[in-house]
Amino acid sequence: MDRLLHFGRTLDDLDPPRWGPPAADATALVRTVHALRTVPLGELRPADLRTLVSQQVALPYVLPLAVRLLLEDPLLDAYFHEGDLLHAAVRAPATAWAALPDLHAALRATLTALPPPAMANLPRDTAEAVAAFTA
């Protein structure tokens, strides 16, 4: 899995072209994503990964980082609620997962091994997204 990770480099380095500063009237989310592209991958926090994955930014680089965390703690509360990083990851497009078949298989195996009560407290849309991902 680590073969895909470049901890000291930023998304602007790895996923050209550089985005540069956001427009003056950009939303807070757009400003956040632009800023996160300048952070070295090794310094991205779970909440940052949730934001980038949910916005489908540079998935070949951020999805492996997210999966790495999810394999250790599948129901990680990154920012909003338990399982929010998982929700973002399992909703990533199939094309992103097709490029990362080993990570897809590892996350799928981890999720199918979870006892049913572990999923009981997740929001309904997260539980549905996980079910679709593991089907």
Side-chain angles (χ1 to χ4, degrees):
M1 186 174 350
D2 288 340
R3 65 183 162 76
L4 300 174
L5 305 178
H6 309 277
F7 292 117
R9 300 183 68 195
T10 69
L11 293 174
D12 270 351
D13 296 335
L14 297 166
D15 184 45
R18 291 180 183 272
W19 284 16
D25 62 345
T27 65
L29 177 59
V30 169
R31 287 192 305 273
T32 297
V33 171
H34 276 256
L36 290 174
R37 285 185 55 89
T38 67
V39 176
L41 294 185
E43 295 177 22
L44 292 171
R45 299 164 301 164
D48 302 332
L49 293 171
R50 187 206 56 78
T51 298
L52 291 165
V53 172
S54 67
Q55 294 304 304
Q56 299 183 15
V57 174
L59 290 176
Y61 301 101
V62 298
L63 205 48
L65 293 169
V67 171
R68 188 176 187 168
L69 294 174
L70 293 169
L71 293 178
E72 292 178 21
D73 184 1
L75 304 179
L76 175 72
D77 179 345
Y79 187 74
F80 290 118
H81 56 78
E82 184 178 50
D84 58 354
L85 180 59
L86 175 62
H87 184 105
V90 299
R91 294 193 53 169
T95 54
W97 287 111
L100 303 165
D102 53 336
L103 296 178
H104 182 271
L107 184 57
R108 188 171 185 268
T110 297
L111 296 176
T112 56
L114 286 175
M119 303 296 284
N121 293 330
L122 293 178
R124 185 173 144 201
D125 58 338
T126 300
E128 290 170 354
V130 169
F133 182 83
T134 58

